[in-house]
Amino acid sequence: MRNRVDVAELEAAWRWVLRLRDEQATQDDLTEWLRWYQAEERNRVAFEEMQSFWHECGKLIDDEPASVAALLAGRAIDDRRASATEKVAAPLARAGCKLVDRHCDVGMAGERSIGPGRVSPPLKFGKRRCRMAPRSIWPPGRR
Amino acid sequence: MSPDYQLTSIVESATPSADDARIQTVQHLIQLHHRALHAFLMTRVRDSQEAKEVAQEAYVQLLQLDRPDAIGFLRAYLFKTAANIAINRAKQRRVRGALDRLDDPEPPVDWLSPDRHVLGRQQLWLLRRALFELPPNCRRAFILYRFKEWNQEQIASELGVNERMVRHYLVRAGLYCKLRVRGCTPAEAKAQIKEQRQ
């Protein structure tokens, strides 16, 4: 896939994919495409490859509709930044959760998992308020 | 891709009084154009399975045709019929999709194996990067066309350019993204497209 000929074939195939997708494509278009498609095996392979690419693209909107909206608005989703943030934030958040669990009387509800792209744990506090131990007895257990 | 399975079922579904010569003509036509028809239908339908179903339906309609005409006519009829079936299915799917969304707010279940899932994620990541690397109008044209199902006329009006320019954007965007997904760096992809233009 690194030479000019292949790119030329891919381009021709891609043009055909776009042309045939048009509901206004005429019988002449079809006849012309058929002639091109059946002329050479390379044409057939290129066409099927570009058509497969078309279908692969569809997965982006199925799996990541938000990223399509962001791209349309011209915003990138910066994966490197998100993953770097995640690397730092995740252990800190977990440590925070442990601390809270150990030293505070807090009613927690739900999971505290840290999924990809999240920069903080989705903590959900119950009705009871967090009661930190008084300073005089800090750290707890040394009363 | 062998068309054998179609032949068997079509011959079975034909009426006993069907003309053998016509069946043979149709069989010949299928053998000649099955792969092309499948490839053509893949530009109009959602997946390979649906393309096969549409082709099958078109073959049946071809067999039910009263006119035992020249193969040139039958070929045109076959492709036209298949295109119409695909268009009707797409319309039905759009309506059904809208109703399904109303009925079932649950997200779809992902049945992919973990390795295919990872591979798929990487490809999608590359595609997303590639789209972001495109010039703004080129990116917008491609996204509106592929993901929002706008036609070229609507995109031209939205971007304030003519339809020829929209086609140029779509060709460039598709080719660039394809090269990036296949492993070219941005510089390589741009260079190859530029070389191609010269």
Side-chain angles (χ1 to χ4, degrees), chain A residues 1-2 7 11 14 20-21 38 48-49 51 54-55 57 64 79, chain B residues 35 39 42-46 125 128 146-147 170 182 188 192 197:
Chain A
M1 215 18 268
R2 303 268 170 170
V7 176
E11 181 173 349
W14 182 236
L20 293 181
R21 275 196 51 75
Q38 291 180 331
E48 281 153 13
E49 201 168 317
Q51 174 205 78
W54 171 268
H55 285 276
C57 287
E64 303 175 8
D79 298 270
Chain B
R35 185 175 171 185
M42 283 295 285
T43 62
R44 302 285 182 99
V45 299
R46 207 172 32 178
W125 183 85
R128 193 148 43 84
R146 179 61 187 94
F147 303 116
L170 294 177
R182 288 194 67 170
E188 282 172 342
Q192 286 192 39
R197 297 255 177 272

PDB file of all heavy atoms in Angstrom, chain A residues 1-2 7 11 14 20-21 38 48-49 51 54-55 57 64 79, chain B residues 35 39 42-46 125 128 146-147 170 182 188 192 197:
ATOM      1  N   MET A   1       0.815  -1.203   0.000  1.00  0.00           N
ATOM      2  CA  MET A   1       0.000   0.000   0.000  1.00  0.00           C
ATOM      3  C   MET A   1       0.846   1.248   0.000  1.00  0.00           C
ATOM      4  O   MET A   1       0.409   2.291   0.409  1.00  0.00           O
ATOM      5  CB  MET A   1      -0.884  -0.057   1.232  1.00  0.00           C
ATOM      6  CG  MET A   1      -2.287   0.495   1.152  1.00  0.00           C
ATOM      7  SD  MET A   1      -2.919   0.702  -0.455  1.00  0.00           S
ATOM      8  CE  MET A   1      -2.457   2.363  -0.743  1.00  0.00           C
ATOM      9  N   ARG A   2       2.088   1.096  -0.382  1.00  0.00           N
ATOM     10  CA  ARG A   2       2.959   2.253  -0.286  1.00  0.00           C
ATOM     11  C   ARG A   2       3.333   2.794  -1.655  1.00  0.00           C
ATOM     12  O   ARG A   2       4.260   3.565  -1.772  1.00  0.00           O
ATOM     13  CB  ARG A   2       4.241   1.870   0.466  1.00  0.00           C
ATOM     14  CG  ARG A   2       3.971   1.314   1.837  1.00  0.00           C
ATOM     15  CD  ARG A   2       3.996   2.410   2.839  1.00  0.00           C
ATOM     16  NE  ARG A   2       3.506   1.915   4.101  1.00  0.00           N
ATOM     17  CZ  ARG A   2       3.576   2.587   5.226  1.00  0.00           C
ATOM     18  NH1 ARG A   2       4.115   3.769   5.256  1.00  0.00           N
ATOM     19  NH2 ARG A   2       3.091   2.110   6.333  1.00  0.00           N
ATOM     20  N   VAL A   7      -2.564   3.736  -4.662  1.00  0.00           N
ATOM     21  CA  VAL A   7      -3.336   4.919  -4.256  1.00  0.00           C
ATOM     22  C   VAL A   7      -4.265   5.326  -5.397  1.00  0.00           C
ATOM     23  O   VAL A   7      -5.424   5.680  -5.170  1.00  0.00           O
ATOM     24  CB  VAL A   7      -2.395   6.078  -3.855  1.00  0.00           C
ATOM     25  CG1 VAL A   7      -3.201   7.318  -3.526  1.00  0.00           C
ATOM     26  CG2 VAL A   7      -1.568   5.680  -2.656  1.00  0.00           C
ATOM     27  N   GLU A  11      -8.201   5.503  -5.086  1.00  0.00           N
ATOM     28  CA  GLU A  11      -8.947   6.736  -5.365  1.00  0.00           C
ATOM     29  C   GLU A  11     -10.075   6.476  -6.372  1.00  0.00           C
ATOM     30  O   GLU A  11     -11.210   6.920  -6.178  1.00  0.00           O
ATOM     31  CB  GLU A  11      -8.020   7.835  -5.882  1.00  0.00           C
ATOM     32  CG  GLU A  11      -8.810   9.105  -6.137  1.00  0.00           C
ATOM     33  CD  GLU A  11      -7.974  10.315  -6.501  1.00  0.00           C
ATOM     34  OE1 GLU A  11      -6.733  10.257  -6.369  1.00  0.00           O
ATOM     35  OE2 GLU A  11      -8.576  11.310  -6.928  1.00  0.00           O
ATOM     36  N   TRP A  14     -12.780   4.625  -4.634  1.00  0.00           N
ATOM     37  CA  TRP A  14     -13.514   5.486  -3.700  1.00  0.00           C
ATOM     38  C   TRP A  14     -14.491   6.400  -4.452  1.00  0.00           C
ATOM     39  O   TRP A  14     -15.616   6.611  -4.026  1.00  0.00           O
ATOM     40  CB  TRP A  14     -12.515   6.292  -2.878  1.00  0.00           C
ATOM     41  CG  TRP A  14     -13.118   7.194  -1.847  1.00  0.00           C
ATOM     42  CD1 TRP A  14     -12.921   8.532  -1.729  1.00  0.00           C
ATOM     43  CD2 TRP A  14     -13.999   6.851  -0.767  1.00  0.00           C
ATOM     44  NE1 TRP A  14     -13.610   9.031  -0.671  1.00  0.00           N
ATOM     45  CE2 TRP A  14     -14.292   8.022  -0.058  1.00  0.00           C
ATOM     46  CE3 TRP A  14     -14.579   5.648  -0.346  1.00  0.00           C
ATOM     47  CZ2 TRP A  14     -15.135   8.040   1.048  1.00  0.00           C
ATOM     48  CZ3 TRP A  14     -15.416   5.667   0.765  1.00  0.00           C
ATOM     49  CH2 TRP A  14     -15.689   6.849   1.435  1.00  0.00           C
ATOM     50  N   LEU A  20     -21.828   5.512  -6.780  1.00  0.00           N
ATOM     51  CA  LEU A  20     -22.888   4.495  -6.733  1.00  0.00           C
ATOM     52  C   LEU A  20     -23.811   4.672  -5.532  1.00  0.00           C
ATOM     53  O   LEU A  20     -24.956   4.239  -5.561  1.00  0.00           O
ATOM     54  CB  LEU A  20     -22.284   3.088  -6.696  1.00  0.00           C
ATOM     55  CG  LEU A  20     -21.556   2.632  -7.939  1.00  0.00           C
ATOM     56  CD1 LEU A  20     -21.050   1.208  -7.752  1.00  0.00           C
ATOM     57  CD2 LEU A  20     -22.451   2.693  -9.173  1.00  0.00           C
ATOM     58  N   ARG A  21     -23.308   5.305  -4.494  1.00  0.00           N
ATOM     59  CA  ARG A  21     -24.161   5.544  -3.320  1.00  0.00           C
ATOM     60  C   ARG A  21     -25.248   6.568  -3.620  1.00  0.00           C
ATOM     61  O   ARG A  21     -26.268   6.606  -2.945  1.00  0.00           O
ATOM     62  CB  ARG A  21     -23.304   6.048  -2.152  1.00  0.00           C
ATOM     63  CG  ARG A  21     -22.672   4.945  -1.348  1.00  0.00           C
ATOM     64  CD  ARG A  21     -22.200   5.477  -0.027  1.00  0.00           C
ATOM     65  NE  ARG A  21     -23.247   6.209   0.667  1.00  0.00           N
ATOM     66  CZ  ARG A  21     -24.279   5.648   1.291  1.00  0.00           C
ATOM     67  NH1 ARG A  21     -24.375   4.347   1.336  1.00  0.00           N
ATOM     68  NH2 ARG A  21     -25.199   6.388   1.875  1.00  0.00           N
ATOM     69  N   GLN A  38     -15.128  -5.022 -13.634  1.00  0.00           N
ATOM     70  CA  GLN A  38     -14.825  -6.345 -14.163  1.00  0.00           C
ATOM     71  C   GLN A  38     -13.588  -6.372 -15.047  1.00  0.00           C
ATOM     72  O   GLN A  38     -13.158  -7.440 -15.478  1.00  0.00           O
ATOM     73  CB  GLN A  38     -16.048  -6.888 -14.909  1.00  0.00           C
ATOM     74  CG  GLN A  38     -17.174  -7.204 -13.929  1.00  0.00           C
ATOM     75  CD  GLN A  38     -18.428  -7.758 -14.567  1.00  0.00           C
ATOM     76  OE1 GLN A  38     -18.715  -7.446 -15.710  1.00  0.00           O
ATOM     77  NE2 GLN A  38     -19.193  -8.541 -13.833  1.00  0.00           N
ATOM     78  N   GLU A  48     -13.641  -3.240  -3.243  1.00  0.00           N
ATOM     79  CA  GLU A  48     -14.146  -3.917  -2.042  1.00  0.00           C
ATOM     80  C   GLU A  48     -13.461  -3.385  -0.779  1.00  0.00           C
ATOM     81  O   GLU A  48     -14.074  -3.304   0.280  1.00  0.00           O
ATOM     82  CB  GLU A  48     -13.978  -5.435  -2.186  1.00  0.00           C
ATOM     83  CG  GLU A  48     -15.102  -6.000  -3.067  1.00  0.00           C
ATOM     84  CD  GLU A  48     -14.768  -7.277  -3.815  1.00  0.00           C
ATOM     85  OE1 GLU A  48     -13.759  -7.917  -3.501  1.00  0.00           O
ATOM     86  OE2 GLU A  48     -15.515  -7.616  -4.745  1.00  0.00           O
ATOM     87  N   GLU A  49     -12.205  -2.975  -0.957  1.00  0.00           N
ATOM     88  CA  GLU A  49     -11.491  -2.420   0.197  1.00  0.00           C
ATOM     89  C   GLU A  49     -12.083  -1.066   0.614  1.00  0.00           C
ATOM     90  O   GLU A  49     -12.297  -0.810   1.801  1.00  0.00           O
ATOM     91  CB  GLU A  49     -10.010  -2.250  -0.177  1.00  0.00           C
ATOM     92  CG  GLU A  49      -9.125  -2.167   1.026  1.00  0.00           C
ATOM     93  CD  GLU A  49      -7.650  -2.288   0.675  1.00  0.00           C
ATOM     94  OE1 GLU A  49      -7.295  -3.154  -0.153  1.00  0.00           O
ATOM     95  OE2 GLU A  49      -6.876  -1.497   1.192  1.00  0.00           O
ATOM     96  N   GLN A  51     -15.042   0.015  -0.046  1.00  0.00           N
ATOM     97  CA  GLN A  51     -16.418  -0.178   0.394  1.00  0.00           C
ATOM     98  C   GLN A  51     -16.430  -0.718   1.833  1.00  0.00           C
ATOM     99  O   GLN A  51     -17.250  -0.306   2.654  1.00  0.00           O
ATOM    100  CB  GLN A  51     -17.002  -1.192  -0.581  1.00  0.00           C
ATOM    101  CG  GLN A  51     -18.317  -1.694  -0.324  1.00  0.00           C
ATOM    102  CD  GLN A  51     -18.359  -3.037  -1.004  1.00  0.00           C
ATOM    103  OE1 GLN A  51     -17.824  -4.006  -0.472  1.00  0.00           O
ATOM    104  NE2 GLN A  51     -18.923  -3.104  -2.183  1.00  0.00           N
ATOM    105  N   TRP A  54     -15.832   2.151   4.061  1.00  0.00           N
ATOM    106  CA  TRP A  54     -17.080   2.899   4.257  1.00  0.00           C
ATOM    107  C   TRP A  54     -17.882   2.306   5.424  1.00  0.00           C
ATOM    108  O   TRP A  54     -18.399   3.015   6.275  1.00  0.00           O
ATOM    109  CB  TRP A  54     -17.901   2.862   2.958  1.00  0.00           C
ATOM    110  CG  TRP A  54     -19.278   3.405   3.116  1.00  0.00           C
ATOM    111  CD1 TRP A  54     -20.414   2.709   3.421  1.00  0.00           C
ATOM    112  CD2 TRP A  54     -19.668   4.775   3.012  1.00  0.00           C
ATOM    113  NE1 TRP A  54     -21.480   3.559   3.503  1.00  0.00           N
ATOM    114  CE2 TRP A  54     -21.051   4.832   3.260  1.00  0.00           C
ATOM    115  CE3 TRP A  54     -18.967   5.961   2.727  1.00  0.00           C
ATOM    116  CZ2 TRP A  54     -21.760   6.028   3.238  1.00  0.00           C
ATOM    117  CZ3 TRP A  54     -19.678   7.149   2.707  1.00  0.00           C
ATOM    118  CH2 TRP A  54     -21.046   7.172   2.959  1.00  0.00           C
ATOM    119  N   HIS A  55     -17.958   0.992   5.455  1.00  0.00           N
ATOM    120  CA  HIS A  55     -18.726   0.342   6.518  1.00  0.00           C
ATOM    121  C   HIS A  55     -18.021   0.458   7.869  1.00  0.00           C
ATOM    122  O   HIS A  55     -18.670   0.614   8.896  1.00  0.00           O
ATOM    123  CB  HIS A  55     -18.980  -1.120   6.164  1.00  0.00           C
ATOM    124  CG  HIS A  55     -20.049  -1.264   5.111  1.00  0.00           C
ATOM    125  ND1 HIS A  55     -21.382  -1.282   5.408  1.00  0.00           N
ATOM    126  CD2 HIS A  55     -19.968  -1.335   3.759  1.00  0.00           C
ATOM    127  CE1 HIS A  55     -22.081  -1.376   4.279  1.00  0.00           C
ATOM    128  NE2 HIS A  55     -21.243  -1.411   3.269  1.00  0.00           N
ATOM    129  N   CYS A  57     -16.268   2.907   8.844  1.00  0.00           N
ATOM    130  CA  CYS A  57     -16.509   4.271   9.344  1.00  0.00           C
ATOM    131  C   CYS A  57     -17.803   4.330  10.152  1.00  0.00           C
ATOM    132  O   CYS A  57     -17.905   5.094  11.109  1.00  0.00           O
ATOM    133  CB  CYS A  57     -16.630   5.260   8.186  1.00  0.00           C
ATOM    134  SG  CYS A  57     -15.091   5.629   7.400  1.00  0.00           S
ATOM    135  N   GLU A  64     -19.013   5.696  19.140  1.00  0.00           N
ATOM    136  CA  GLU A  64     -18.579   6.938  19.771  1.00  0.00           C
ATOM    137  C   GLU A  64     -19.322   8.136  19.186  1.00  0.00           C
ATOM    138  O   GLU A  64     -18.706   8.997  18.545  1.00  0.00           O
ATOM    139  CB  GLU A  64     -17.072   7.120  19.556  1.00  0.00           C
ATOM    140  CG  GLU A  64     -16.237   5.968  20.066  1.00  0.00           C
ATOM    141  CD  GLU A  64     -14.771   6.140  19.723  1.00  0.00           C
ATOM    142  OE1 GLU A  64     -14.376   7.210  19.236  1.00  0.00           O
ATOM    143  OE2 GLU A  64     -14.024   5.184  19.946  1.00  0.00           O
ATOM    144  N   ASP A  79      -6.633  11.927  23.407  1.00  0.00           N
ATOM    145  CA  ASP A  79      -6.480  10.666  24.136  1.00  0.00           C
ATOM    146  C   ASP A  79      -5.257  10.652  25.035  1.00  0.00           C
ATOM    147  O   ASP A  79      -5.283  10.119  26.118  1.00  0.00           O
ATOM    148  CB  ASP A  79      -6.359   9.502  23.140  1.00  0.00           C
ATOM    149  CG  ASP A  79      -7.600   9.379  22.320  1.00  0.00           C
ATOM    150  OD1 ASP A  79      -8.496   8.675  22.734  1.00  0.00           O
ATOM    151  OD2 ASP A  79      -7.668  10.039  21.270  1.00  0.00           O
TER     152      ASP A  79
ATOM    153  N   ARG B  35     -20.658 -11.408  -8.012  1.00  0.00           N
ATOM    154  CA  ARG B  35     -19.705 -10.649  -7.186  1.00  0.00           C
ATOM    155  C   ARG B  35     -19.909  -9.147  -7.367  1.00  0.00           C
ATOM    156  O   ARG B  35     -19.883  -8.382  -6.415  1.00  0.00           O
ATOM    157  CB  ARG B  35     -18.271 -11.045  -7.568  1.00  0.00           C
ATOM    158  CG  ARG B  35     -17.248 -10.380  -6.670  1.00  0.00           C
ATOM    159  CD  ARG B  35     -15.859 -10.883  -6.989  1.00  0.00           C
ATOM    160  NE  ARG B  35     -14.848 -10.102  -6.293  1.00  0.00           N
ATOM    161  CZ  ARG B  35     -13.544 -10.262  -6.464  1.00  0.00           C
ATOM    162  NH1 ARG B  35     -13.094 -11.179  -7.285  1.00  0.00           N
ATOM    163  NH2 ARG B  35     -12.690  -9.511  -5.810  1.00  0.00           N
ATOM    164  N   ALA B  39     -20.960  -6.437  -4.594  1.00  0.00           N
ATOM    165  CA  ALA B  39     -20.132  -5.249  -4.359  1.00  0.00           C
ATOM    166  C   ALA B  39     -20.966  -3.972  -4.513  1.00  0.00           C
ATOM    167  O   ALA B  39     -20.873  -3.046  -3.710  1.00  0.00           O
ATOM    168  CB  ALA B  39     -18.961  -5.234  -5.337  1.00  0.00           C
ATOM    169  N   MET B  42     -23.273  -3.532  -1.566  1.00  0.00           N
ATOM    170  CA  MET B  42     -22.583  -3.139  -0.331  1.00  0.00           C
ATOM    171  C   MET B  42     -22.460  -1.621  -0.201  1.00  0.00           C
ATOM    172  O   MET B  42     -22.218  -1.112   0.885  1.00  0.00           O
ATOM    173  CB  MET B  42     -21.204  -3.804  -0.254  1.00  0.00           C
ATOM    174  CG  MET B  42     -21.263  -5.262   0.144  1.00  0.00           C
ATOM    175  SD  MET B  42     -21.878  -5.530   1.803  1.00  0.00           S
ATOM    176  CE  MET B  42     -20.461  -5.032   2.786  1.00  0.00           C
ATOM    177  N   THR B  43     -22.588  -0.914  -1.319  1.00  0.00           N
ATOM    178  CA  THR B  43     -22.553   0.561  -1.222  1.00  0.00           C
ATOM    179  C   THR B  43     -23.904   1.096  -0.759  1.00  0.00           C
ATOM    180  O   THR B  43     -24.019   2.258  -0.412  1.00  0.00           O
ATOM    181  CB  THR B  43     -22.205   1.219  -2.569  1.00  0.00           C
ATOM    182  OG1 THR B  43     -23.230   0.890  -3.518  1.00  0.00           O
ATOM    183  CG2 THR B  43     -20.867   0.763  -3.094  1.00  0.00           C
ATOM    184  N   ARG B  44     -24.915   0.232  -0.789  1.00  0.00           N
ATOM    185  CA  ARG B  44     -26.273   0.702  -0.473  1.00  0.00           C
ATOM    186  C   ARG B  44     -26.852   0.127   0.817  1.00  0.00           C
ATOM    187  O   ARG B  44     -27.854   0.622   1.302  1.00  0.00           O
ATOM    188  CB  ARG B  44     -27.234   0.320  -1.617  1.00  0.00           C
ATOM    189  CG  ARG B  44     -26.871   0.853  -2.970  1.00  0.00           C
ATOM    190  CD  ARG B  44     -27.203   2.327  -3.053  1.00  0.00           C
ATOM    191  NE  ARG B  44     -26.914   2.879  -4.351  1.00  0.00           N
ATOM    192  CZ  ARG B  44     -27.831   3.081  -5.292  1.00  0.00           C
ATOM    193  NH1 ARG B  44     -29.078   2.739  -5.077  1.00  0.00           N
ATOM    194  NH2 ARG B  44     -27.491   3.619  -6.443  1.00  0.00           N
ATOM    195  N   VAL B  45     -26.294  -0.973   1.304  1.00  0.00           N
ATOM    196  CA  VAL B  45     -26.900  -1.615   2.470  1.00  0.00           C
ATOM    197  C   VAL B  45     -25.936  -1.592   3.649  1.00  0.00           C
ATOM    198  O   VAL B  45     -24.802  -1.113   3.535  1.00  0.00           O
ATOM    199  CB  VAL B  45     -27.325  -3.070   2.158  1.00  0.00           C
ATOM    200  CG1 VAL B  45     -28.339  -3.125   1.052  1.00  0.00           C
ATOM    201  CG2 VAL B  45     -26.114  -3.920   1.828  1.00  0.00           C
ATOM    202  N   ARG B  46     -26.393  -2.153   4.763  1.00  0.00           N
ATOM    203  CA  ARG B  46     -25.637  -2.042   6.008  1.00  0.00           C
ATOM    204  C   ARG B  46     -24.516  -3.061   6.123  1.00  0.00           C
ATOM    205  O   ARG B  46     -23.447  -2.780   6.625  1.00  0.00           O
ATOM    206  CB  ARG B  46     -26.610  -2.206   7.179  1.00  0.00           C
ATOM    207  CG  ARG B  46     -26.191  -1.538   8.435  1.00  0.00           C
ATOM    208  CD  ARG B  46     -27.281  -1.596   9.457  1.00  0.00           C
ATOM    209  NE  ARG B  46     -28.087  -2.811   9.334  1.00  0.00           N
ATOM    210  CZ  ARG B  46     -29.080  -3.116  10.139  1.00  0.00           C
ATOM    211  NH1 ARG B  46     -29.402  -2.283  11.104  1.00  0.00           N
ATOM    212  NH2 ARG B  46     -29.775  -4.227   9.998  1.00  0.00           N
ATOM    213  N   TRP B 125      -9.774   4.699  16.740  1.00  0.00           N
ATOM    214  CA  TRP B 125      -8.929   5.777  17.254  1.00  0.00           C
ATOM    215  C   TRP B 125      -8.182   6.441  16.092  1.00  0.00           C
ATOM    216  O   TRP B 125      -8.133   7.668  15.981  1.00  0.00           O
ATOM    217  CB  TRP B 125      -7.941   5.212  18.279  1.00  0.00           C
ATOM    218  CG  TRP B 125      -7.083   6.257  18.898  1.00  0.00           C
ATOM    219  CD1 TRP B 125      -7.384   7.050  19.968  1.00  0.00           C
ATOM    220  CD2 TRP B 125      -5.766   6.646  18.465  1.00  0.00           C
ATOM    221  NE1 TRP B 125      -6.350   7.908  20.226  1.00  0.00           N
ATOM    222  CE2 TRP B 125      -5.339   7.684  19.322  1.00  0.00           C
ATOM    223  CE3 TRP B 125      -4.909   6.235  17.446  1.00  0.00           C
ATOM    224  CZ2 TRP B 125      -4.099   8.305  19.196  1.00  0.00           C
ATOM    225  CZ3 TRP B 125      -3.683   6.861  17.321  1.00  0.00           C
ATOM    226  CH2 TRP B 125      -3.287   7.881  18.182  1.00  0.00           C
ATOM    227  N   ARG B 128     -10.511   8.459  13.960  1.00  0.00           N
ATOM    228  CA  ARG B 128     -10.852   9.716  14.637  1.00  0.00           C
ATOM    229  C   ARG B 128      -9.717  10.722  14.503  1.00  0.00           C
ATOM    230  O   ARG B 128      -9.928  11.897  14.216  1.00  0.00           O
ATOM    231  CB  ARG B 128     -11.138   9.393  16.108  1.00  0.00           C
ATOM    232  CG  ARG B 128     -11.780  10.470  16.883  1.00  0.00           C
ATOM    233  CD  ARG B 128     -12.697   9.924  17.975  1.00  0.00           C
ATOM    234  NE  ARG B 128     -12.194   8.796  18.733  1.00  0.00           N
ATOM    235  CZ  ARG B 128     -11.387   8.902  19.797  1.00  0.00           C
ATOM    236  NH1 ARG B 128     -10.983  10.085  20.203  1.00  0.00           N
ATOM    237  NH2 ARG B 128     -11.004   7.826  20.444  1.00  0.00           N
ATOM    238  N   ARG B 146     -21.155  11.066   5.723  1.00  0.00           N
ATOM    239  CA  ARG B 146     -21.101   9.679   6.208  1.00  0.00           C
ATOM    240  C   ARG B 146     -21.952   9.435   7.435  1.00  0.00           C
ATOM    241  O   ARG B 146     -22.627   8.422   7.542  1.00  0.00           O
ATOM    242  CB  ARG B 146     -19.636   9.282   6.514  1.00  0.00           C
ATOM    243  CG  ARG B 146     -19.477   7.867   7.049  1.00  0.00           C
ATOM    244  CD  ARG B 146     -19.974   6.878   6.031  1.00  0.00           C
ATOM    245  NE  ARG B 146     -20.004   5.502   6.510  1.00  0.00           N
ATOM    246  CZ  ARG B 146     -21.066   4.908   7.050  1.00  0.00           C
ATOM    247  NH1 ARG B 146     -22.186   5.581   7.227  1.00  0.00           N
ATOM    248  NH2 ARG B 146     -21.016   3.646   7.409  1.00  0.00           N
ATOM    249  N   PHE B 147     -21.901  10.380   8.378  1.00  0.00           N
ATOM    250  CA  PHE B 147     -22.549  10.104   9.660  1.00  0.00           C
ATOM    251  C   PHE B 147     -23.929  10.741   9.794  1.00  0.00           C
ATOM    252  O   PHE B 147     -24.758  10.265  10.542  1.00  0.00           O
ATOM    253  CB  PHE B 147     -21.654  10.552  10.816  1.00  0.00           C
ATOM    254  CG  PHE B 147     -20.295   9.915  10.786  1.00  0.00           C
ATOM    255  CD1 PHE B 147     -19.154  10.669  10.609  1.00  0.00           C
ATOM    256  CD2 PHE B 147     -20.169   8.545  10.907  1.00  0.00           C
ATOM    257  CE1 PHE B 147     -17.905  10.077  10.558  1.00  0.00           C
ATOM    258  CE2 PHE B 147     -18.919   7.940  10.862  1.00  0.00           C
ATOM    259  CZ  PHE B 147     -17.795   8.706  10.680  1.00  0.00           C
ATOM    260  N   LEU B 170     -14.916  15.067  -0.307  1.00  0.00           N
ATOM    261  CA  LEU B 170     -15.245  13.690   0.087  1.00  0.00           C
ATOM    262  C   LEU B 170     -14.186  12.699  -0.403  1.00  0.00           C
ATOM    263  O   LEU B 170     -13.793  11.789   0.325  1.00  0.00           O
ATOM    264  CB  LEU B 170     -16.622  13.293  -0.453  1.00  0.00           C
ATOM    265  CG  LEU B 170     -17.819  14.046   0.121  1.00  0.00           C
ATOM    266  CD1 LEU B 170     -19.113  13.602  -0.556  1.00  0.00           C
ATOM    267  CD2 LEU B 170     -17.923  13.857   1.622  1.00  0.00           C
ATOM    268  N   ARG B 182      -4.695   2.528   7.368  1.00  0.00           N
ATOM    269  CA  ARG B 182      -3.824   1.428   6.919  1.00  0.00           C
ATOM    270  C   ARG B 182      -2.397   1.561   7.423  1.00  0.00           C
ATOM    271  O   ARG B 182      -1.556   0.737   7.120  1.00  0.00           O
ATOM    272  CB  ARG B 182      -3.815   1.368   5.396  1.00  0.00           C
ATOM    273  CG  ARG B 182      -5.125   0.859   4.863  1.00  0.00           C
ATOM    274  CD  ARG B 182      -5.005   0.496   3.429  1.00  0.00           C
ATOM    275  NE  ARG B 182      -4.131  -0.659   3.247  1.00  0.00           N
ATOM    276  CZ  ARG B 182      -3.994  -1.304   2.103  1.00  0.00           C
ATOM    277  NH1 ARG B 182      -4.665  -0.921   1.065  1.00  0.00           N
ATOM    278  NH2 ARG B 182      -3.198  -2.324   1.998  1.00  0.00           N
ATOM    279  N   GLU B 188       3.064  10.872   5.271  1.00  0.00           N
ATOM    280  CA  GLU B 188       3.059   9.884   4.171  1.00  0.00           C
ATOM    281  C   GLU B 188       1.738   9.932   3.400  1.00  0.00           C
ATOM    282  O   GLU B 188       1.718   9.905   2.168  1.00  0.00           O
ATOM    283  CB  GLU B 188       3.260   8.468   4.729  1.00  0.00           C
ATOM    284  CG  GLU B 188       4.682   8.137   5.089  1.00  0.00           C
ATOM    285  CD  GLU B 188       4.798   6.794   5.811  1.00  0.00           C
ATOM    286  OE1 GLU B 188       3.790   6.282   6.319  1.00  0.00           O
ATOM    287  OE2 GLU B 188       5.929   6.274   5.873  1.00  0.00           O
ATOM    288  N   GLN B 192       1.404  10.912  -0.486  1.00  0.00           N
ATOM    289  CA  GLN B 192       0.874   9.971  -1.484  1.00  0.00           C
ATOM    290  C   GLN B 192      -0.300  10.576  -2.250  1.00  0.00           C
ATOM    291  O   GLN B 192      -0.436  10.383  -3.452  1.00  0.00           O
ATOM    292  CB  GLN B 192       0.438   8.680  -0.802  1.00  0.00           C
ATOM    293  CG  GLN B 192       1.615   7.835  -0.376  1.00  0.00           C
ATOM    294  CD  GLN B 192       1.202   6.429   0.032  1.00  0.00           C
ATOM    295  OE1 GLN B 192       0.351   5.826  -0.572  1.00  0.00           O
ATOM    296  NE2 GLN B 192       1.830   5.918   1.062  1.00  0.00           N
ATOM    297  N   ARG B 197      -2.086  13.325  -7.272  1.00  0.00           N
ATOM    298  CA  ARG B 197      -2.714  14.452  -7.983  1.00  0.00           C
ATOM    299  C   ARG B 197      -1.848  14.947  -9.141  1.00  0.00           C
ATOM    300  O   ARG B 197      -2.340  15.534 -10.074  1.00  0.00           O
ATOM    301  CB  ARG B 197      -2.963  15.612  -7.025  1.00  0.00           C
ATOM    302  CG  ARG B 197      -3.928  15.306  -5.912  1.00  0.00           C
ATOM    303  CD  ARG B 197      -5.276  15.952  -6.157  1.00  0.00           C
ATOM    304  NE  ARG B 197      -6.220  15.597  -5.110  1.00  0.00           N
ATOM    305  CZ  ARG B 197      -7.002  14.518  -5.126  1.00  0.00           C
ATOM    306  NH1 ARG B 197      -6.977  13.683  -6.134  1.00  0.00           N
ATOM    307  NH2 ARG B 197      -7.842  14.270  -4.129  1.00  0.00           N
TER     308      ARG B 197
END
